[in-house]
Amino acid sequence: MIPFKLPSPQGYTEEPVWNGREFVIGDKTLPILEYSENFEGWSDDLTQLHEEAAGEHHPIDVASRTRAIKEIEKYKGPGNKVVMDIGCSSGFLLRDMSSALSDCSLIGADVVKAPLIKLAKDLPNIPLVRFDLLQCPLPPASVDVIVMLNVFEHIGDDVLAMKRAYDLLKPGGLLVVEVPAGPRLFGPYDVELHHFRRYTRSELRQKLSKVGFRIASESHLGFLLFPAFALVKLKDKYFGAKSAKNTVTRQAASTRNSGLMGLLMKIEVNLLSGMSLPFGIRVTMTAIK
């Protein structure tokens, strides 16, 4: 279900209609709806790289998705809500939300095409839209909840992207955000993943507030892991090879099956989730329009 009118993509004159399995425009059917692209901070190859290195079950990514769903459940209010996952990539969060938020209408969005085509086969009941948030084609005030996990660091003009997200939300709408923390830790890993920046909590708060959001909650993710994480980042930054090649594969693959990391992240998400943690691997924030 998409409870708002979709604009016609370039080359079409008729409005697209979602029939529950695919988009229909006139006599054509499309697995995904495409409006625009932007490869300045992401690509199909990077999606594949991250999926192969970290996979669906990396402890910090599992904790990230769990936290995001808890925030949605806490603030979304009753009734059917339109929840859009911007930067849905391989669809791991969409899968989790389809089970946890069965009373909501889900929409996936990204700037890359190949993962969306694959995802349309894996999750045929969820509409998928390809567009650049900086050129958002969707009508304003049409979505109840937007989730953006590790997206803003890939966008050059992140403040404009935040403004576009604000405009897309209905009054009272919810934005659930996560970004990499620690500007001083910016290094080869970030370069390889085409990050423009890492954030402090105050920077993210100020930018979201600047475009009109009210901050409902803020914290960090990866609090218990941060000392070891920071040491690895600083070692790579100052003593690693100048080339950023293979840093993501080496770091993500070496920790994705870590039982200790999994235990620490479960402790953090289940026992410390009500606290505002002072530092961590990622900055987390929930904002209201």
Side-chain angles (χ1 to χ4, degrees):
M1 176 181 176
I2 302 180
F4 55 84
K5 288 187 177 182
L6 294 163
S8 301
Q10 186 174 4
Y12 295 90
T13 56
E14 298 176 271
E15 291 183 355
V17 176
W18 171 253
N19 68 5
R21 301 279 299 183
E22 57 197 352
F23 292 97
V24 180
I25 308 180
D27 59 353
K28 292 187 177 181
T29 58
L30 305 170
I32 66 172
L33 195 59
E34 296 186 73
Y35 289 104
S36 59
E37 62 185 33
N38 184 343
F39 292 119
E40 70 169 356
W42 198 247
S43 67
D44 291 337
D45 291 341
L46 285 177
T47 300
Q48 183 177 352
L49 169 66
H50 189 267
E51 184 172 334
E52 290 175 351
E56 183 177 359
H57 304 293
H58 193 286
I60 193 164
D61 291 331
V62 171
S64 169
R65 301 195 302 268
T66 301
R67 183 207 67 85
I69 290 172
K70 284 186 175 184
E71 288 292 286
I72 296 171
E73 292 174 331
K74 181 178 179 181
Y75 291 104
K76 74 178 178 63
N80 183 298
K81 302 294 183 181
V82 179
V83 180
M84 176 172 283
D85 179 8
I86 295 181
C88 65
S89 190
S90 299
F92 301 146
L93 177 60
L94 283 174
R95 288 187 181 91
D96 291 351
M97 290 196 298
S98 66
S99 298
L101 304 173
S102 57
D103 59 336
C104 294
S105 298
L106 304 180
I107 303 174
D110 212 312
V111 293
V112 292
K113 183 174 183 176
L116 290 181
I117 293 293
K118 180 178 182 296
L119 195 55
K121 298 177 182 177
D122 297 339
L123 298 175
N125 297 323
I126 297 178
L128 302 172
V129 185
R130 185 187 187 199
F131 68 89
D132 172 16
L133 183 57
L134 299 180
Q135 308 172 53
C136 183
L138 303 182
S142 57
V143 175
D144 296 290
V145 179
I146 294 175
V147 189
M148 298 181 68
L149 303 185
N150 302 295
V151 176
F152 283 125
E153 67 271 19
H154 295 283
I155 301 175
D157 193 342
D158 58 343
V159 174
L160 178 58
M162 293 174 193
K163 179 64 168 61
R164 294 287 185 261
Y166 182 90
D167 293 340
L168 187 55
L169 284 168
K170 297 176 183 177
L174 196 67
L175 176 67
V176 178
V177 180
E178 181 180 290
V179 291
R184 294 182 180 180
L185 302 180
F186 192 97
Y189 183 94
D190 301 284
V191 173
E192 188 175 3
L193 283 181
H194 294 190
H195 289 175
F196 285 93
R197 66 194 72 79
R198 302 182 73 90
Y199 291 79
T200 63
R201 189 158 78 173
S202 61
E203 177 189 2
L204 182 60
R205 183 194 316 119
Q206 289 169 7
K207 287 182 173 180
L208 288 172
S209 299
K210 180 179 179 180
V211 302
F213 282 107
R214 173 175 63 85
I215 308 304
S217 69
E218 56 181 271
S219 186
H220 286 86
L221 186 70
F223 170 73
L224 299 175
L225 301 173
F226 185 73
F229 170 85
L231 285 175
V232 171
K233 293 297 183 184
L234 290 172
K235 178 181 71 68
D236 283 347
K237 180 176 181 177
Y238 294 111
F239 303 106
K242 292 183 179 180
S243 172
K245 188 177 181 181
N246 297 325
T247 303
V248 172
T249 299
R250 174 171 52 82
Q251 291 188 5
S254 67
T255 55
R256 68 182 176 187
N257 297 315
S258 170
L260 177 60
M261 178 180 282
L263 176 61
L264 291 176
M265 291 311 304
K266 286 181 180 178
I267 291 173
E268 183 174 321
V269 170
N270 294 320
L271 300 180
L272 304 180
S273 60
M275 301 173 60
S276 181
L277 302 174
F279 53 82
I281 296 173
R282 299 173 182 174
V283 179
T284 65
M285 208 159 285
T286 300
I288 299 174
K289 178 174 178 177

